[in-house]
Amino acid sequence: MRIEIKGLAKSYQRKKVFRNISWQLEKGKSYVVTGPNGSGKSTLLRLLCGLEKPTAGTIAFYIGEDIVGPSSLRSNMGLVSPDLQFYGQLSPLENLAFFSVLRGLDKSNDFLQKLLAKVQLGEEMNHPIVTFSSGMKQRLRFAFALLHEPVFLFLDEPFTNLDRAGKDLVNCIIEDQVSKGIVLMATNEPSEVERFGQDILQLAPGSMGPG
Amino acid sequence: MGRIFYNSLRGVWALVKKDLVDELRTRYAITSMGLFALTTLVMVSFSTGIFALDAGLHASFLWIIIFFSSMSALARSFIKEEEKGTAAALRLSASPEIIFTGKLLYNVLLLLGLLVVVFPLYIFLMNLSPGSNYVLVVAFLVLGSVCLAGATTILAAMVSRAGAKNSLLPVIAFPVLLPVLLTAIRGTSIALAGGNADSVLSELTFLFSYLVIIVTASLLLFSFVWED
């Protein structure tokens, strides 16, 4: 299992976010992309998830020796990002049930309840999300990302808005996920870079990648 | 293959159900559509009360009310996903075809709901002639509305990332929907005057062909609109 990034570049009109990033990520390791605001950390994660298209370069996902196509990538990849929002009028349980069916999964109500309990939202699972704090929404993002048990997990500032218990929970999720596949995290926090950066990509605005 | 198709259908229905539940809890589209339809209907009724209108004018008024009432609500189907930031979660979870089909069905249901309210009220307030061929009138209203929903769904997806989203849709949709509106008005007018199915065959064929073309083209093009 690996991800191969070759000559990746992203520009918005004339603004170059980054260029010529080449990187290989392999199973069983956690990776960190770091850099100042505007250096393109979140953009890189969005490119990896297929939410944006690169200006140049390629990204290839492999499971074994087989390349993963765009439709199977959707079922093998999870994202936690501040950009992700859910339906405020629905409860976490309703949101997860909706996304589960949309993904073509056959998850039971029991599974969804256990997943919500795992991210410590068990007691609020039937309350509309519009009443949630930002930390609770961040926990729900983890439930959403883990719903389909992905092997590629991309985390954009995963500890944002979380309390002590939430941070411990995310540490456990990352450690568990590293054993199953690949974890790539975008962060600026030195302690997180040190703890999870088995391989680190340092970005600077408009910069060339490490090659 | 069968399993994939079954899961796609479940996905489409889940999206329709989610949008309906969300709408019933917020009542944004229902309220704006209903109030617009009601005020326009009452205005038309008061301003034309003393005149005896022919079938052509009735058909025109009916379709003008349907067109403008539905525009704000139909535009919301994609705009609300972009504005509330839920579009990314949708993109990560399902293929563009499932998303488009779900949104199209939801828009069709919304328009059919509008018809259920507007048409009986129009008959009541405007004293429509009992000699009309109401089965054909309903056929034109339903087919025309499905065409409206079909074209507006892809256009709503296109304008959802633009600046002046809500006001942009009726302007962009008007030239695309003009052939549908003109044909639907002509067909409805003949049916209101008591015409039979043979006399409106060309109008029905046109609307049906338009629907097939617009939905096929939208399904083929939607991934470029949705993913780029």
Side-chain angles (χ1 to χ4, degrees):
Chain A
M1 187 182 303
R2 66 187 194 278
I3 305 171
E4 283 181 7
I5 302 172
K6 284 184 185 163
L8 198 69
K10 182 66 184 175
S11 306
Y12 294 107
Q13 293 166 346
R14 285 186 179 179
K15 191 193 175 212
K16 285 189 174 73
V17 182
F18 51 69
R19 61 199 162 104
N20 198 28
I21 290 179
S22 295
W23 203 14
Q24 180 150 322
L25 298 86
E26 287 175 356
K27 187 186 172 183
K29 285 171 87 175
S30 59
Y31 295 81
V32 168
V33 53
T34 187
N37 295 339
S39 58
K41 302 185 296 295
S42 300
T43 304
L44 179 64
L45 262 56
R46 291 176 67 83
L47 289 172
L48 284 160
C49 295
L51 289 173
E52 289 189 33
K53 296 220 163 87
T55 312
T58 58
I59 303 167
F61 292 83
Y62 293 87
I63 294 180
E65 283 311 305
D66 299 328
I67 196 156
V68 182
S71 55
S72 349
L73 180 60
R74 209 175 278 124
S75 53
N76 285 301
M77 172 266 297
L79 171 71
V80 174
S81 157
D83 294 343
L84 280 181
Q85 300 296 332
F86 304 102
Y87 299 100
Q89 298 301 323
L90 307 185
S91 68
L93 194 58
E94 287 172 322
N95 267 284
L96 288 190
F98 164 62
F99 285 111
S100 160
V101 179
L102 203 59
R103 283 186 173 279
L105 303 172
D106 226 351
K107 301 291 184 192
S108 65
N109 215 36
D110 193 42
F111 174 89
L112 300 178
Q113 287 181 1
K114 279 182 183 157
L115 182 58
L116 285 168
K118 184 181 173 182
V119 296
Q120 297 157 5
L121 285 176
E123 287 177 18
E124 292 85 9
M125 68 172 77
N126 292 311
H127 298 172
I129 290 172
V130 75
T131 62
F132 278 20
S133 69
S134 44
M136 290 158 83
K137 286 178 184 164
Q138 182 70 351
R139 288 162 192 259
L140 183 58
R141 290 187 187 108
F142 274 93
F144 170 76
L146 299 175
L147 177 65
H148 51 295
E149 298 162 72
V151 288
F152 305 112
L153 186 62
F154 304 121
L155 308 171
D156 190 359
E157 306 285 358
F159 294 94
T160 309
N161 298 318
L162 290 174
D163 56 15
R164 185 71 257 160
K167 285 178 180 169
D168 290 343
L169 170 77
V170 172
N171 284 329
C172 290
I173 289 174
I174 294 172
E175 278 163 17
D176 182 44
Q177 197 63 32
V178 167
S179 64
K180 294 176 185 166
I182 295 169
V183 175
L184 171 60
M185 180 194 298
T187 182
N188 271 327
E189 191 58 49
S191 61
E192 292 164 19
V193 175
E194 193 180 332
R195 174 159 188 189
F196 298 106
Q198 289 175 291
D199 193 355
I200 300 165
L201 173 66
Q202 175 78 44
L203 291 175
S207 70
M208 285 178 67
Chain B
M1 191 68 188
R3 183 82 189 157
I4 293 171
F5 183 68
Y6 172 71
N7 282 340
S8 300
L9 285 183
R10 280 180 71 219
V12 167
W13 176 240
L15 190 56
V16 175
K17 207 169 104 184
K18 182 276 293 174
D19 275 343
L20 286 173
V21 170
D22 193 36
E23 180 54 40
L24 288 173
R25 289 180 190 175
T26 58
R27 296 199 184 91
Y28 181 90
I30 293 174
T31 311
S32 66
M33 205 164 66
L35 285 177
F36 193 96
L38 199 66
T39 47
T40 323
L41 199 54
V42 171
M43 276 173 67
V44 169
S45 165
F46 277 121
S47 58
T48 61
I50 55 166
F51 305 107
L53 302 180
D54 64 16
L57 276 174
H58 277 304
S60 305
F61 280 135
L62 200 48
W63 277 104
I64 287 168
I65 293 167
I66 292 167
F67 175 74
F68 285 106
S69 308
S70 62
M71 279 301 115
S72 62
L74 296 184
R76 294 293 302 166
S77 59
F78 280 104
I79 290 172
K80 70 180 176 187
E81 303 284 0
E82 295 291 348
E83 279 180 352
K84 292 183 179 175
T86 49
L90 280 184
R91 286 188 179 96
L92 289 172
S93 304
S95 69
E97 292 76 19
I98 291 177
I99 304 294
F100 176 79
T101 315
K103 291 289 180 186
L104 172 64
L105 281 181
Y106 168 72
N107 281 344
V108 167
L109 289 178
L110 212 55
L111 265 182
L112 293 181
L114 175 72
L115 286 184
V116 168
V117 176
V118 166
F119 189 49
L121 266 176
Y122 192 91
I123 294 174
F124 175 71
L125 290 172
M126 301 294 285
N127 277 330
L128 275 187
S129 136
S132 302
N133 185 341
Y134 282 111
V135 176
L136 260 189
V137 174
V138 170
F140 270 107
L141 290 177
V142 170
L143 192 54
S145 297
V146 177
C147 287
L148 270 182
T152 314
T153 304
I154 185 87
L155 293 174
M158 287 163 79
V159 301
S160 62
R161 295 192 201 180
K165 305 172 180 86
N166 283 311
S167 49
L168 203 59
L169 185 67
V171 180
I172 290 182
F174 187 68
V176 180
L177 291 172
L178 194 61
V180 173
L181 289 171
L182 292 178
T183 312
I185 288 170
R186 195 165 58 238
T188 311
S189 160
I190 296 169
L192 282 171
N196 59 18
D198 288 340
S199 56
V200 289
L201 200 58
S202 59
E203 282 80 6
L204 286 172
T205 311
F206 175 85
L207 288 180
F208 187 73
S209 309
Y210 183 96
L211 179 63
V212 171
I213 291 167
I214 200 80
V215 171
T216 309
S218 298
L219 276 170
L220 293 172
L221 296 173
F222 182 69
S223 63
F224 299 102
V225 176
W226 182 240
E227 288 177 343
D228 275 352

